Amino acid sequence: MSEQAHETIRIFVTGSCDGLQPLLEALAGSEELELLGANEHIAAAAPALAGGHLQVVLHATRSSILPINELAAIRELTRAPVILVCSSEASALLEEALEANVADVLVLPQFIENVVFSIRKSCHVGRSAEAPLGSEGRIVTVFSPKGGTGKTVLAANLAASLAHDEGKRTLLLDLDLQFGDAAIMLGLEPDKTIFDLVVAPGELDADKLTGYIVKHSCGLDILPAPLRPEDAELVTETKVGRLLEVARYAYEVIIVDTSPFFHGPMLSTLDRTDQLLLVASLDIPTLKNVRLGMQTLELLSFPRERVRVVLNRANDKVGIKQRQVEEALETEVWKSVPVDRAVPLSVNRGVPVVVADSGCDFSRGVHELAKALFPAKERERRVLSPLRA
Ligand SMILES: Nc1ncnc2c1ncn2[C@@H]1O[C@H](COP(=O)(O)OP(=O)(O)O)[C@@H](O)[C@H]1O
Ligand SMILES: [Mg+2]
């Protein structure tokens, strides 16, 4: 198409669908692409997907529903953007795929020029995305190295606001594994938890995850913490890693509530965290611990630009001001949320404040936080229509 010399893009093709063979031949013949290989089975393609410095993966599917397990399996092996390829009979999954952050969807047959354009665009978006968002949901971890700072209140209400007000497919994951209370704060009494999910036989995949989710009436999905503290130790670092990989294909955003410790599951969460909300408040012991927490994050090589300090109970009249917090932490407070009587009232009633009292000061602060995390400018995505309808 263009005479301009482009750098060739390294691609790999997995899966199968009608009309894939002629596409493979065209891809192999394109001077703009380097087709490293094609394999119907993701497991068999694992070495190439993991080690090939791939720039784009094309995954073909015959399924009429979104193949989230296959997408999660690819995502575990490579962070390259994934383009879904299907035949026109499977076009019903278009919307769902775009919602799930698939980079693009190609309905066959297509002109090779269109396919190359889509690959080039996906490659560019994958490279320029601010966070490692490629084609997956965003993981926002709410942490503070001190108990009682408001992690759970903030995590639960932020998640509820994203689900209820912003219409995002949101999962609230309670990783305060010993004493998690996110579910109870939302008025839920779960009978299944993350513990039951990780000890259930068979591989953890998206279908299995769905079976252990508790749904809140505000539209939020929750995976509660174990009911007994002693069950926490079976929720290992590896299991949490796998869970997050699967979850970020099924959700647009995963809000993780945490305990005040850097244990194994937390390290595995940090590895996958796109934004860490570090909760501080206006008291000296908390500030001391938040500062220590920041040093630990640095030792763990957690990227500093992913850390955002959120000041809870920001208007407490306790003799310390936001400016002093910023000086003590040597960083700016990104957002602040006020103390509000509506919070303990709705915690005790088991309803999210942002839903029960959306106009109160606390809810307004949380809404602002939600909007700042997900500014309206959604990435433009293009669906190429087939040659024939
Ligand atoms: N902004 C706020 N205004 C009023 N009360 C708050 C606020 N944030 C937290 N709280 C209260 O503090 C208690 C502890 O908060 P929580 O979220 O459980 O802390 P953490 O999870 O960090 O241990 C909650 O039960 C809640 O009633
Ligand atoms: Mg908590």
Side-chain angles (χ1 to χ4, degrees), residues 57-78:
V57 175
L58 279 80
H59 180 67
T61 181
R62 292 179 189 281
S63 167
S64 55
I65 55 162
L66 188 67
I68 34 186
N69 295 337
E70 292 169 17
L71 292 171
I74 295 170
R75 179 57 53 219
E76 268 195 77
L77 297 162
T78 172

Side-chain angles (χ1 to χ4, degrees), residues 269-276 296-307:
T269 305
L270 284 174
D271 279 348
R272 294 164 174 85
T273 292
D274 297 303
Q275 251 116 34
L276 183 78
T296 307
L297 288 166
E298 216 162 300
L299 287 174
L300 294 169
S301 303
F302 187 80
R304 201 173 170 132
E305 66 276 11
R306 292 194 199 164
V307 182

Side-chain angles (χ1 to χ4, degrees), residues 151-152 176 181 257-258:
K151 292 182 289 298
T152 304
D176 183 351
D181 42 17
D257 186 19
T258 61

Side-chain angles (χ1 to χ4, degrees), residues 156-158 160-161 164-165 351-359 362-363 366-367:
N157 280 284
L158 179 60
S161 171
H164 187 260
D165 308 316
V351 282
V353 198
V354 287
V355 175
D357 192 350
S358 64
F362 176 86
S363 297
V366 173
H367 289 147

Side-chain angles (χ1 to χ4, degrees), residues 162-181:
L162 287 166
H164 187 260
D165 308 316
E166 307 291 319
K168 298 243 175 247
R169 279 177 299 110
T170 309
L171 174 69
L172 174 61
L173 176 59
D174 193 347
L175 285 190
D176 183 351
L177 295 169
Q178 283 198 294
F179 300 105
D181 42 17

Side-chain angles (χ1 to χ4, degrees), residues 143-144 146-155 176 181 185 257-258 260 279 311-315 337-345 347-348 362:
F143 176 73
S144 178
K146 184 93 167 73
T149 47
K151 292 182 289 298
T152 304
V153 160
L154 282 171
D176 183 351
D181 42 17
M185 237 182 226
D257 186 19
T258 61
V279 186
L311 186 60
N312 188 23
R313 300 185 176 98
N315 55 341
V337 178
V339 71
D340 195 323
R341 226 171 65 86
V343 177
L345 283 177
V347 165
N348 290 337
F362 176 86

Side-chain angles (χ1 to χ4, degrees), residues 48-102:
L49 289 172
H53 299 292
L54 289 175
Q55 288 164 290
V56 176
V57 175
L58 279 80
H59 180 67
T61 181
R62 292 179 189 281
S63 167
S64 55
I65 55 162
L66 188 67
I68 34 186
N69 295 337
E70 292 169 17
L71 292 171
I74 295 170
R75 179 57 53 219
E76 268 195 77
L77 297 162
T78 172
R79 299 189 83 85
V82 180
I83 296 176
L84 206 58
V85 179
C86 56
S87 61
S88 41
E89 296 84 69
S91 57
L93 55 76
L94 291 185
E95 256 175 49
E96 218 189 325
L98 292 177
E99 294 248 302
N101 289 323
V102 162

